Amino acid sequence: MVPSGQTQLVCLLGSPVSHSISPAMHNTSFDALGLDYSYMAFDIGEDNIKAAVDALRTLNCKGFNLTMPLKNAIIPYIDELSEEARLAHSVNTCLFEDGKLKGYTTDGIGFLNAMTDSGIDYNDKVITVLGAGGAATSIIVSAALHGVSKINVFKRKNSTFDEVVDFADRITHASDCDVFVYDIADATLLEFCLQESDILINATNVGMGDDDTSLVPKEFLYKDLIVTDVIYHPAYTRLLKDAKAVGCKVMNGKYMLLYQGAAAFKIWTGQDMPIDLIKEKCFTED
Ligand code: NAP
């Protein structure tokens, strides 16, 4: 749709942003639904975040997405945080409404909706998550609030380990889900937790791009374990390749990207993103 005098601006802030699929995803959806909105990407680092938020408020912007490195840095400028954003301490979607800046995280719900789209039922299930960074914490919070019964988190025993243990305690108290944190170097414990798990999620960078390694020995995988990865480049990480070879159902991070966008789209427009169209236009087949 050609912009008009009433076009509502929505945008992405972060650095880098030039590779982002979000402008294509949202503008294609606005066009398809005849919505007078326009989505742009702006390369903004932490130093400029306050100036950017002030400018967007002045310009009467509808809202914006945040990507690296701004998902935590935006928090001091938010007036109202959703429960999931507060618990995850991460914001990837903002809405200007009633003179306030409201912050949400849609990464976790995006991952859960991607699982549903792939026919994976996470209700009452036991999940093992590798990593405890931004993607992992959003997924852990959403999974705990939306029906997963137990989450085993494996991360490196480094300076952030105790913080993640505190985070796990907070989520356990705020939900009906028990969250435990273990040292990823403990292979015996990892194998034990995978045996009791229904779903494994790799939420680390391991396996991204040219890295053909996995944090999970292939012999720990078994056919009834559902194996997922937040990474979508490559489409099949070493972990997913090993899991497919063992006969596991697998899912990569491609549709997490789609559904986190769909949840943001709903927050800004109140409408459902045309999922099938966006899959066809913006997500090429593996
Ligand atoms: P992040 O905040 O930097 O977290 C990375 C996590 O990976 C940390 O927990 C880190 O462990 C762990 N890690 C890295 N190397 C490791 C290793 N060798 N052994 C064990 N753990 C290791 O990054 P992020 O934003 O969560 O992103 C993680 C991945 O998710 C990236 O590949 C990103 O592209 C992907 N992602 C996908 C989507 C999507 O829509 N599909 C959305 C967001 C992110 P420590 O805690 O010990 O440092």
Side-chain angles (χ1 to χ4, degrees), residues 182-196:
Y182 303 114
D183 181 357
I184 202 161
D186 191 335
T188 310
L189 203 49
L190 177 60
E191 184 174 24
F192 176 83
C193 286
L194 289 177
Q195 283 297 325
E196 69 157 15

Side-chain angles (χ1 to χ4, degrees), residues 71 107 131-136 155-156 158 160 184 203-206 208 215 230-232 253-254 256-257 260:
K71 289 184 184 183
D107 286 327
K155 78 162 249 94
R156 290 182 289 199
N158 54 15
T160 56
I184 202 161
T204 72
N205 311 316
V206 177
M208 195 164 76
L215 291 168
V230 297
I231 294 171
Y232 49 89
K254 188 170 73 166
M256 173 184 180
L257 188 62
Q260 63 75 32

Side-chain angles (χ1 to χ4, degrees), residues 109-206:
I109 201 73
F111 192 83
L112 296 186
N113 288 341
M115 286 204 282
T116 302
D117 183 302
S118 299
I120 300 169
D121 178 11
Y122 51 82
N123 240 316
D124 277 331
K125 298 291 193 279
V126 178
I127 292 185
T128 290
V129 177
L130 307 177
T137 48
S138 292
I139 292 170
I140 291 163
V141 168
S142 297
L145 293 179
H146 295 279
V148 168
S149 64
K150 182 177 176 186
I151 303 174
N152 303 308
V153 181
F154 280 84
K155 78 162 249 94
R156 290 182 289 199
K157 196 141 194 185
N158 54 15
S159 60
T160 56
F161 193 86
D162 291 343
E163 255 173 58
V164 175
V165 171
D166 290 345
F167 161 77
D169 289 346
R170 284 199 301 279
I171 305 307
T172 298
H173 283 110
S175 70
D176 295 328
C177 177
D178 294 320
V179 186
F180 301 94
V181 185
Y182 303 114
D183 181 357
I184 202 161
D186 191 335
T188 310
L189 203 49
L190 177 60
E191 184 174 24
F192 176 83
C193 286
L194 289 177
Q195 283 297 325
E196 69 157 15
S197 293
D198 301 288
I199 302 168
L200 166 65
I201 303 172
N202 175 43
T204 72
N205 311 316
V206 177

Side-chain angles (χ1 to χ4, degrees), residues 66-89:
L66 297 133
T67 186
M68 275 196 332
L70 304 180
K71 289 184 184 183
N72 305 126
I74 187 68
I75 290 178
Y77 307 104
I78 305 271
D79 300 306
E80 270 181 33
L81 280 176
S82 70
E83 188 189 14
E84 280 173 75
R86 182 179 57 77
L87 288 168
H89 201 69

